[in-house]
Amino acid sequence: MIELLEQANYWHWLAFGLGLLLLELLGTAGYLLWLGISAMLVGLIISLMPLSWQMQWMSFASFSLITTWLWWRYQHGKDKSEDKNRVLNQRDRQMIGQTTRLEETIEKGNCRIQLGDSCWSARTDTKIDAGTLVEVVDVEGIILIIKPVS
């Protein structure tokens, strides 16, 4: 087995890397992408300078860990920034900007309003007459903050 490992040259690493990249095309969600790129990097390094088979595999392992970690770090930061703007499955944040026409006069303070097919607790800073179009401008917990649309 060791004789086989000692005979590996840069063509073997390039073929191994391309094989991993081709398997990635089957839909492994990026798991083999960084391994394939790492194998190709090892093949490029071996074409420039000879390395022992132990050093080849250590280089492959190191490149795999580094490229995977760099991608995770990039993607994690991107996901965190996108999550701040996401409203999917956050019904309270989806309510901001919704409008409805009041059925009854609301005094300053807490009240209940009909929005869509649900009844919501709401709060306003001013008295609002019946028939006025109001907009949800903020959400505090489960209470909608409403203001008249001007």
Side-chain angles (χ1 to χ4, degrees), residues 1-148:
M1 180 69 169
I2 292 181
E3 293 92 22
L4 182 65
L5 291 173
E6 289 175 343
Q7 293 174 3
N9 61 25
Y10 70 96
W11 286 112
H12 293 110
W13 281 102
L14 292 177
F16 180 53
L18 286 174
L20 288 170
L21 292 176
L22 286 174
L23 287 173
E24 174 64 33
L25 292 175
L26 296 176
T28 61
Y31 294 115
L32 298 178
L33 176 67
W34 304 110
L35 297 178
I37 290 173
S38 298
M40 294 187 75
L41 284 173
V42 171
L44 290 174
I45 290 174
I46 292 174
S47 70
L48 299 175
M49 70 173 107
L51 295 175
S52 67
W53 68 270
Q54 296 96 338
M55 198 61 185
Q56 291 174 20
W57 283 100
M58 289 300 293
S59 299
F60 173 67
S62 299
F63 286 141
S64 297
L65 289 173
I66 290 168
T67 55
T68 303
W69 179 77
L70 287 173
W71 176 252
W72 174 83
R73 189 170 160 208
Y74 165 76
Q75 190 64 42
H76 184 67
K78 187 176 171 184
D79 288 345
K80 282 178 78 175
S81 67
E82 287 178 359
D83 281 345
K84 291 178 184 174
N85 300 326
R86 189 169 291 144
V87 295
L88 182 64
N89 293 332
Q90 297 178 6
R91 183 130 190 234
D92 55 345
R93 292 191 50 204
Q94 291 175 353
M95 301 304 285
I96 296 175
Q98 298 271 338
T99 59
T100 188
R101 195 161 301 276
L102 294 179
E103 298 173 2
E104 56 189 45
T105 301
I106 296 176
E107 297 297 325
K108 177 181 174 183
N110 292 336
C111 60
R112 304 238 353 130
I113 63 168
Q114 183 75 28
L115 192 59
D117 60 351
S118 301
C119 191
W120 291 82
S121 295
R123 184 176 330 150
T124 181
D125 294 336
T126 60
K127 178 182 174 183
I128 305 174
D129 295 324
T132 305
L133 190 63
V134 293
E135 177 183 15
V136 178
V137 293
D138 197 10
V139 178
E140 293 178 1
I142 59 170
I143 298 175
L144 305 178
I145 309 300
I146 58 172
K147 291 194 176 184

